[in-house]
C-alpha cells in the first residue's frame, strides 16, 4: 500500500474543520496523497482498506463524547481495519479538559491503531498556535512509517 493519508472530521461550527484543514496542510508537506473530507462524505471501509494513515477530528459533545450520529458509527465500522494503522486524533471544544479525546484515543488504540502523537485539543476556534500544532500533528502522523 502506498502512503496515503486521510484526514476525516466532523465539525458543527467550523472550529474542527479549521483544525482539519491545518492538519491536512501538515500532512501534504510530507506525502502527496492526502484526502481531507467531512465524515459524512466518506465510507469507513474504503478509508480502512485504502489509507495507511488516518487522522480523525471531532469536537466534544454532551458529557464529553464524540459526535454520535456520524463520527461514532464511522469509527465503529472503521475499527476492524485499524490493526497497525498509523493514526492521530484532534478536536475542539469550549469547556472540556479533553476527556473525550482520551477515551477516543484509548478505544482506537485498543482496536490496534498506532499513535505517534498525543491527541490534540483546541478551545473554540483554533488560534495561530493551535493551527501550528495541527500542522505539526499532520506532519508527524504522515511522516511515521
Amino acid at each position: 500500500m502506498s502512503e496515503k493519508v486521510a484526514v476525516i472530521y466532523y465539525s458543527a461550527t467550523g472550529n474542527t474543520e479549521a483544525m482539519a484543514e491545518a492538519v491536512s496542510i501538515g500532512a501534504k508537506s510530507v506525502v502527496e496523497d492526502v484526502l481531507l473530507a467531512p465524515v459524512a462524505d466518506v465510507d469507513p471501509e474504503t478509508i480502512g482498506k485504502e489509507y495507511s494513515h488516518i487522522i480523525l477530528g471531532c469536537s466534544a459533545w454532551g458529557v464529553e463524547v464524540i459526535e454520535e450520529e456520524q463520527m461514532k458509527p464511522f469509527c465503529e465500522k472503521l475499527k476492524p481495519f485499524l490493526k497497525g494503522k498509523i493514526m492521530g486524533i484532534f478536536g475542539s471544544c469550549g469547556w472540556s479538559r479533553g476527556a473525550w479525546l482520551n477515551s477516543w484515543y484509548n478505544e482506537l488504540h485498543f482496536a490496534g491503531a498506532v499513535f505517534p502523537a498525543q491527541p490534540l485539543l483546541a478551545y473554540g476556534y483554533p488560534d495561530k498556535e493551535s493551527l501550528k500544532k495541527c500542522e505539526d500533528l499532520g506532519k508527524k502522523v504522515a511522516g511515521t512509517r
Side-chain angles (χ1 to χ4, degrees):
M1 177 186 309
S2 66
E3 301 300 324
K4 292 173 67 171
V5 178
V7 181
I8 309 300
Y9 65 92
Y10 177 87
S11 186
T13 63
N15 298 347
T16 305
E17 181 177 14
M19 293 178 76
E21 289 169 354
V23 168
S24 72
I25 288 169
K28 286 177 184 177
S29 73
V30 178
V31 299
E32 287 184 27
D33 198 345
V34 177
L35 168 69
L36 171 64
V39 68
D41 292 352
V42 294
D43 173 60
E45 186 172 332
T46 300
I47 298 300
K49 287 181 177 178
E50 296 182 8
Y51 289 83
S52 55
H53 297 64
I54 303 168
I55 309 171
L56 302 176
C58 188
S59 54
W61 283 76
V63 289
E64 292 211 56
V65 296
I66 63 171
E67 190 275 333
E68 295 179 327
E69 297 293 319
Q70 295 177 40
M71 187 56 82
K72 183 72 174 170
F74 176 87
C75 288
E76 289 303 317
K77 292 176 183 171
L78 183 64
K79 281 182 188 177
F81 304 98
L82 293 184
K83 186 165 180 66
K85 294 286 183 178
I86 308 300
M87 291 195 73
I89 59 172
F90 62 93
S92 63
C93 66
W95 48 268
S96 88
R97 295 181 184 233
W100 97 99
L101 280 175
N102 292 327
S103 297
W104 195 18
Y105 167 89
N106 289 334
E107 187 177 321
L108 298 171
H109 182 72
F110 185 73
V114 176
F115 287 84
Q118 292 298 309
L120 180 60
L121 170 66
Y123 289 97
Y125 192 85
D127 61 14
K128 189 175 181 178
E129 181 181 336
S130 294
L131 291 172
K132 173 71 171 97
K133 289 179 181 178
C134 289
E135 285 187 34
D136 291 344
L137 174 67
K139 286 178 189 176
K140 181 144 189 153
V141 174
T144 300
R145 303 291 174 245

mmCIF file with all atom_site columns, all heavy atoms in Angstrom, residues 81-94:
data_model
loop_
_atom_site.group_PDB
_atom_site.id
_atom_site.type_symbol
_atom_site.label_atom_id
_atom_site.label_alt_id
_atom_site.label_comp_id
_atom_site.label_asym_id
_atom_site.label_entity_id
_atom_site.label_seq_id
_atom_site.pdbx_PDB_ins_code
_atom_site.Cartn_x
_atom_site.Cartn_y
_atom_site.Cartn_z
_atom_site.occupancy
_atom_site.B_iso_or_equiv
_atom_site.pdbx_formal_charge
_atom_site.auth_seq_id
_atom_site.auth_comp_id
_atom_site.auth_asym_id
_atom_site.auth_atom_id
_atom_site.pdbx_PDB_model_num
ATOM 1   N N   . PHE A 1 81 ? -10.430 -2.402 10.695 1.00 0.00 ? 81 PHE A N   1
ATOM 2   C CA  . PHE A 1 81 ? -9.327  -2.133 9.765  1.00 0.00 ? 81 PHE A CA  1
ATOM 3   C C   . PHE A 1 81 ? -8.136  -1.436 10.430 1.00 0.00 ? 81 PHE A C   1
ATOM 4   O O   . PHE A 1 81 ? -7.181  -1.078 9.756  1.00 0.00 ? 81 PHE A O   1
ATOM 5   C CB  . PHE A 1 81 ? -9.830  -1.258 8.609  1.00 0.00 ? 81 PHE A CB  1
ATOM 6   C CG  . PHE A 1 81 ? -10.996 -1.859 7.878  1.00 0.00 ? 81 PHE A CG  1
ATOM 7   C CD1 . PHE A 1 81 ? -12.287 -1.461 8.182  1.00 0.00 ? 81 PHE A CD1 1
ATOM 8   C CD2 . PHE A 1 81 ? -10.803 -2.838 6.920  1.00 0.00 ? 81 PHE A CD2 1
ATOM 9   C CE1 . PHE A 1 81 ? -13.375 -2.025 7.523  1.00 0.00 ? 81 PHE A CE1 1
ATOM 10  C CE2 . PHE A 1 81 ? -11.880 -3.400 6.252  1.00 0.00 ? 81 PHE A CE2 1
ATOM 11  C CZ  . PHE A 1 81 ? -13.174 -2.996 6.561  1.00 0.00 ? 81 PHE A CZ  1
ATOM 12  N N   . LEU A 1 82 ? -8.185  -1.229 11.745 1.00 0.00 ? 82 LEU A N   1
ATOM 13  C CA  . LEU A 1 82 ? -7.200  -0.371 12.402 1.00 0.00 ? 82 LEU A CA  1
ATOM 14  C C   . LEU A 1 82 ? -5.920  -1.044 12.867 1.00 0.00 ? 82 LEU A C   1
ATOM 15  O O   . LEU A 1 82 ? -4.967  -0.353 13.215 1.00 0.00 ? 82 LEU A O   1
ATOM 16  C CB  . LEU A 1 82 ? -7.847  0.350  13.589 1.00 0.00 ? 82 LEU A CB  1
ATOM 17  C CG  . LEU A 1 82 ? -8.917  1.367  13.216 1.00 0.00 ? 82 LEU A CG  1
ATOM 18  C CD1 . LEU A 1 82 ? -9.423  2.078  14.458 1.00 0.00 ? 82 LEU A CD1 1
ATOM 19  C CD2 . LEU A 1 82 ? -8.412  2.359  12.191 1.00 0.00 ? 82 LEU A CD2 1
ATOM 20  N N   . LYS A 1 83 ? -5.850  -2.352 12.851 1.00 0.00 ? 83 LYS A N   1
ATOM 21  C CA  . LYS A 1 83 ? -4.632  -3.012 13.337 1.00 0.00 ? 83 LYS A CA  1
ATOM 22  C C   . LYS A 1 83 ? -3.422  -2.543 12.527 1.00 0.00 ? 83 LYS A C   1
ATOM 23  O O   . LYS A 1 83 ? -3.346  -2.723 11.321 1.00 0.00 ? 83 LYS A O   1
ATOM 24  C CB  . LYS A 1 83 ? -4.769  -4.520 13.265 1.00 0.00 ? 83 LYS A CB  1
ATOM 25  C CG  . LYS A 1 83 ? -3.580  -5.236 13.893 1.00 0.00 ? 83 LYS A CG  1
ATOM 26  C CD  . LYS A 1 83 ? -3.898  -6.689 14.144 1.00 0.00 ? 83 LYS A CD  1
ATOM 27  C CE  . LYS A 1 83 ? -2.748  -7.418 14.759 1.00 0.00 ? 83 LYS A CE  1
ATOM 28  N NZ  . LYS A 1 83 ? -2.391  -6.993 16.086 1.00 0.00 ? 83 LYS A NZ  1
ATOM 29  N N   . GLY A 1 84 ? -2.499  -1.889 13.217 1.00 0.00 ? 84 GLY A N   1
ATOM 30  C CA  . GLY A 1 84 ? -1.280  -1.409 12.595 1.00 0.00 ? 84 GLY A CA  1
ATOM 31  C C   . GLY A 1 84 ? -1.399  -0.096 11.844 1.00 0.00 ? 84 GLY A C   1
ATOM 32  O O   . GLY A 1 84 ? -0.398  0.409  11.329 1.00 0.00 ? 84 GLY A O   1
ATOM 33  N N   . LYS A 1 85 ? -2.596  0.481  11.745 1.00 0.00 ? 85 LYS A N   1
ATOM 34  C CA  . LYS A 1 85 ? -2.749  1.769  11.054 1.00 0.00 ? 85 LYS A CA  1
ATOM 35  C C   . LYS A 1 85 ? -2.110  2.870  11.894 1.00 0.00 ? 85 LYS A C   1
ATOM 36  O O   . LYS A 1 85 ? -2.198  2.885  13.113 1.00 0.00 ? 85 LYS A O   1
ATOM 37  C CB  . LYS A 1 85 ? -4.227  2.119  10.852 1.00 0.00 ? 85 LYS A CB  1
ATOM 38  C CG  . LYS A 1 85 ? -4.961  1.202  9.928  1.00 0.00 ? 85 LYS A CG  1
ATOM 39  C CD  . LYS A 1 85 ? -4.600  1.427  8.476  1.00 0.00 ? 85 LYS A CD  1
ATOM 40  C CE  . LYS A 1 85 ? -5.442  0.502  7.619  1.00 0.00 ? 85 LYS A CE  1
ATOM 41  N NZ  . LYS A 1 85 ? -5.208  0.661  6.216  1.00 0.00 ? 85 LYS A NZ  1
ATOM 42  N N   . ILE A 1 86 ? -1.476  3.822  11.223 1.00 0.00 ? 86 ILE A N   1
ATOM 43  C CA  . ILE A 1 86 ? -0.905  4.992  11.875 1.00 0.00 ? 86 ILE A CA  1
ATOM 44  C C   . ILE A 1 86 ? -2.025  6.018  11.993 1.00 0.00 ? 86 ILE A C   1
ATOM 45  O O   . ILE A 1 86 ? -2.656  6.369  10.988 1.00 0.00 ? 86 ILE A O   1
ATOM 46  C CB  . ILE A 1 86 ? 0.265   5.579  11.052 1.00 0.00 ? 86 ILE A CB  1
ATOM 47  C CG1 . ILE A 1 86 ? 1.293   4.507  10.707 1.00 0.00 ? 86 ILE A CG1 1
ATOM 48  C CG2 . ILE A 1 86 ? 0.887   6.765  11.795 1.00 0.00 ? 86 ILE A CG2 1
ATOM 49  C CD1 . ILE A 1 86 ? 1.935   3.844  11.888 1.00 0.00 ? 86 ILE A CD1 1
ATOM 50  N N   . MET A 1 87 ? -2.273  6.498  13.218 1.00 0.00 ? 87 MET A N   1
ATOM 51  C CA  . MET A 1 87 ? -3.406  7.393  13.426 1.00 0.00 ? 87 MET A CA  1
ATOM 52  C C   . MET A 1 87 ? -3.052  8.609  14.264 1.00 0.00 ? 87 MET A C   1
ATOM 53  O O   . MET A 1 87 ? -2.064  8.627  14.985 1.00 0.00 ? 87 MET A O   1
ATOM 54  C CB  . MET A 1 87 ? -4.559  6.649  14.117 1.00 0.00 ? 87 MET A CB  1
ATOM 55  C CG  . MET A 1 87 ? -5.225  5.616  13.244 1.00 0.00 ? 87 MET A CG  1
ATOM 56  S SD  . MET A 1 87 ? -6.817  5.074  13.901 1.00 0.00 ? 87 MET A SD  1
ATOM 57  C CE  . MET A 1 87 ? -7.830  6.515  13.548 1.00 0.00 ? 87 MET A CE  1
ATOM 58  N N   . GLY A 1 88 ? -3.932  9.585  14.175 1.00 0.00 ? 88 GLY A N   1
ATOM 59  C CA  . GLY A 1 88 ? -3.910  10.764 15.024 1.00 0.00 ? 88 GLY A CA  1
ATOM 60  C C   . GLY A 1 88 ? -5.343  11.212 15.233 1.00 0.00 ? 88 GLY A C   1
ATOM 61  O O   . GLY A 1 88 ? -6.204  10.914 14.403 1.00 0.00 ? 88 GLY A O   1
ATOM 62  N N   . ILE A 1 89 ? -5.601  11.897 16.351 1.00 0.00 ? 89 ILE A N   1
ATOM 63  C CA  . ILE A 1 89 ? -6.926  12.464 16.584 1.00 0.00 ? 89 ILE A CA  1
ATOM 64  C C   . ILE A 1 89 ? -6.788  13.875 17.131 1.00 0.00 ? 89 ILE A C   1
ATOM 65  O O   . ILE A 1 89 ? -5.802  14.219 17.778 1.00 0.00 ? 89 ILE A O   1
ATOM 66  C CB  . ILE A 1 89 ? -7.813  11.603 17.510 1.00 0.00 ? 89 ILE A CB  1
ATOM 67  C CG1 . ILE A 1 89 ? -7.166  11.394 18.870 1.00 0.00 ? 89 ILE A CG1 1
ATOM 68  C CG2 . ILE A 1 89 ? -8.170  10.278 16.854 1.00 0.00 ? 89 ILE A CG2 1
ATOM 69  C CD1 . ILE A 1 89 ? -8.097  10.722 19.885 1.00 0.00 ? 89 ILE A CD1 1
ATOM 70  N N   . PHE A 1 90 ? -7.823  14.667 16.861 1.00 0.00 ? 90 PHE A N   1
ATOM 71  C CA  . PHE A 1 90 ? -7.845  16.054 17.315 1.00 0.00 ? 90 PHE A CA  1
ATOM 72  C C   . PHE A 1 90 ? -9.288  16.499 17.477 1.00 0.00 ? 90 PHE A C   1
ATOM 73  O O   . PHE A 1 90 ? -10.213 15.850 16.981 1.00 0.00 ? 90 PHE A O   1
ATOM 74  C CB  . PHE A 1 90 ? -7.118  16.960 16.311 1.00 0.00 ? 90 PHE A CB  1
ATOM 75  C CG  . PHE A 1 90 ? -7.750  16.981 14.951 1.00 0.00 ? 90 PHE A CG  1
ATOM 76  C CD1 . PHE A 1 90 ? -8.687  17.948 14.623 1.00 0.00 ? 90 PHE A CD1 1
ATOM 77  C CD2 . PHE A 1 90 ? -7.409  16.042 13.993 1.00 0.00 ? 90 PHE A CD2 1
ATOM 78  C CE1 . PHE A 1 90 ? -9.282  17.964 13.366 1.00 0.00 ? 90 PHE A CE1 1
ATOM 79  C CE2 . PHE A 1 90 ? -7.988  16.054 12.734 1.00 0.00 ? 90 PHE A CE2 1
ATOM 80  C CZ  . PHE A 1 90 ? -8.932  17.022 12.418 1.00 0.00 ? 90 PHE A CZ  1
ATOM 81  N N   . GLY A 1 91 ? -9.477  17.606 18.177 1.00 0.00 ? 91 GLY A N   1
ATOM 82  C CA  . GLY A 1 91 ? -10.815 18.143 18.325 1.00 0.00 ? 91 GLY A CA  1
ATOM 83  C C   . GLY A 1 91 ? -10.822 19.470 19.036 1.00 0.00 ? 91 GLY A C   1
ATOM 84  O O   . GLY A 1 91 ? -9.839  19.886 19.643 1.00 0.00 ? 91 GLY A O   1
ATOM 85  N N   . SER A 1 92 ? -11.978 20.119 18.951 1.00 0.00 ? 92 SER A N   1
ATOM 86  C CA  . SER A 1 92 ? -12.156 21.414 19.594 1.00 0.00 ? 92 SER A CA  1
ATOM 87  C C   . SER A 1 92 ? -13.328 21.339 20.569 1.00 0.00 ? 92 SER A C   1
ATOM 88  O O   . SER A 1 92 ? -14.202 20.489 20.443 1.00 0.00 ? 92 SER A O   1
ATOM 89  C CB  . SER A 1 92 ? -12.418 22.497 18.547 1.00 0.00 ? 92 SER A CB  1
ATOM 90  O OG  . SER A 1 92 ? -13.631 22.224 17.871 1.00 0.00 ? 92 SER A OG  1
ATOM 91  N N   . CYS A 1 93 ? -13.294 22.231 21.526 1.00 0.00 ? 93 CYS A N   1
ATOM 92  C CA  . CYS A 1 93 ? -14.382 22.311 22.497 1.00 0.00 ? 93 CYS A CA  1
ATOM 93  C C   . CYS A 1 93 ? -14.379 23.706 23.102 1.00 0.00 ? 93 CYS A C   1
ATOM 94  O O   . CYS A 1 93 ? -13.468 24.492 22.874 1.00 0.00 ? 93 CYS A O   1
ATOM 95  C CB  . CYS A 1 93 ? -14.221 21.250 23.577 1.00 0.00 ? 93 CYS A CB  1
ATOM 96  S SG  . CYS A 1 93 ? -12.776 21.543 24.599 1.00 0.00 ? 93 CYS A SG  1
ATOM 97  N N   . GLY A 1 94 ? -15.388 23.975 23.894 1.00 0.00 ? 94 GLY A N   1
ATOM 98  C CA  . GLY A 1 94 ? -15.458 25.270 24.528 1.00 0.00 ? 94 GLY A CA  1
ATOM 99  C C   . GLY A 1 94 ? -15.238 25.212 26.020 1.00 0.00 ? 94 GLY A C   1
ATOM 100 O O   . GLY A 1 94 ? -15.043 26.240 26.664 1.00 0.00 ? 94 GLY A O   1
#
